[in-house]
Amino acid sequence: MQHKSLAPSQKLGTGLADIHLIGQITGAVGLGHHPLYCTWQLVYDSHLWAVTNGLTVGRTHASSPELPEDGGLSGVVWDTPLDLALTTSSIQHWPSIIFKLFQRDVWLGRDVFVGYSLCTLPSSAGCHHLSCPVWSAVEARRSLMQDLVSWFTGLNPQLVNESFITDLEQRYEQGQHLHTQNLSNTTSAATH
């Protein structure tokens, strides 16, 4: 995934507010013993918001879980920095970050999709520690054969249209057709 710095996008007229987010994606807890990494993407309404500085997409490095001495959940540490500046003409449709987590399968030499996480940016000033649940889609009418193939290949279902995650109208209309499973309360983003 390429990282690029964005110039100020379209002119929004007189901005109502400027928001500056400085923080980091700290890590994930409770997702097994394989090395993990995540990709992230800032999601915002481009008619109301503009990114004036910073990256809107990125990726952490792959990290192996640390085994805790107290027997608790193992976790990975990423400590990937975030630094974004946004301006807005409205406080509607507050920006979010979508995370996609992947496991690195060292035996087969491939990356395997694990799950999604959605985190809305804080709307108040100050220090915040956010924990975002990680979930994956589950096929509603899945046969035993599909379960076996998934278990042997290690492949999990992914959404065809990922805008479904942040589009509330689409989620309301199609929500009864999507089944999910909670994987862990793992992806953390600390902001200042």
Side-chain angles (χ1 to χ4, degrees):
M1 180 175 293
Q2 290 186 347
H3 300 275
K4 59 182 177 179
S5 184
L6 299 178
S9 50
Q10 64 216 38
K11 299 288 182 196
L12 296 174
T14 58
L16 206 128
D18 291 326
I19 290 107
H20 199 157
L21 171 78
I22 300 173
Q24 62 186 354
I25 303 169
T26 56
V29 176
L31 288 172
H33 58 278
H34 294 287
L36 283 173
Y37 71 90
C38 82
T39 61
W40 60 269
Q41 177 182 0
L42 180 69
V43 180
Y44 60 98
D45 186 338
S46 61
H47 299 298
L48 302 174
W49 294 82
V51 176
T52 57
N53 194 13
L55 302 174
T56 59
V57 296
R59 177 184 167 186
T60 67
H61 62 278
S63 179
S64 294
E66 296 177 358
L67 298 175
E69 294 176 11
D70 62 359
L73 295 173
S74 63
V76 297
V77 177
W78 292 315
D79 289 338
T80 301
L82 290 174
D83 190 359
L84 295 165
L86 298 107
T87 187
T88 182
S89 61
S90 171
I91 59 171
Q92 294 179 337
H93 304 286
W94 201 261
S96 300
I97 297 178
I98 293 178
F99 299 97
K100 291 196 304 188
L101 281 78
F102 296 87
Q103 280 183 343
R104 181 139 305 157
D105 187 339
V106 294
W107 299 110
L108 297 176
R110 64 179 180 178
D111 295 339
V112 178
F113 172 75
V114 174
Y116 298 99
S117 186
L118 176 67
C119 190
T120 303
L121 297 181
S123 59
S124 62
C127 265
H128 302 275
H129 181 82
L130 309 172
S131 291
C132 313
V134 176
W135 57 272
S136 69
V138 178
E139 296 176 54
R141 295 182 182 97
R142 194 172 168 135
S143 69
L144 178 60
M145 182 58 112
Q146 288 172 316
D147 283 337
L148 286 172
V149 169
S150 178
W151 186 78
F152 279 113
T153 62
L155 300 176
N156 296 323
Q158 279 185 266
L159 297 175
V160 175
N161 182 2
E162 292 177 351
S163 68
F164 182 85
I165 298 171
T166 57
D167 186 347
L168 294 177
E169 290 177 21
Q170 185 181 8
R171 206 178 331 166
Y172 178 75
E173 292 172 7
Q174 301 294 325
Q176 67 269 18
H177 303 294
L178 176 69
H179 298 265
T180 62
Q181 66 182 1
N182 186 25
L183 298 176
S184 183
N185 191 22
T186 61
T187 305
S188 296
T191 62
H192 302 281

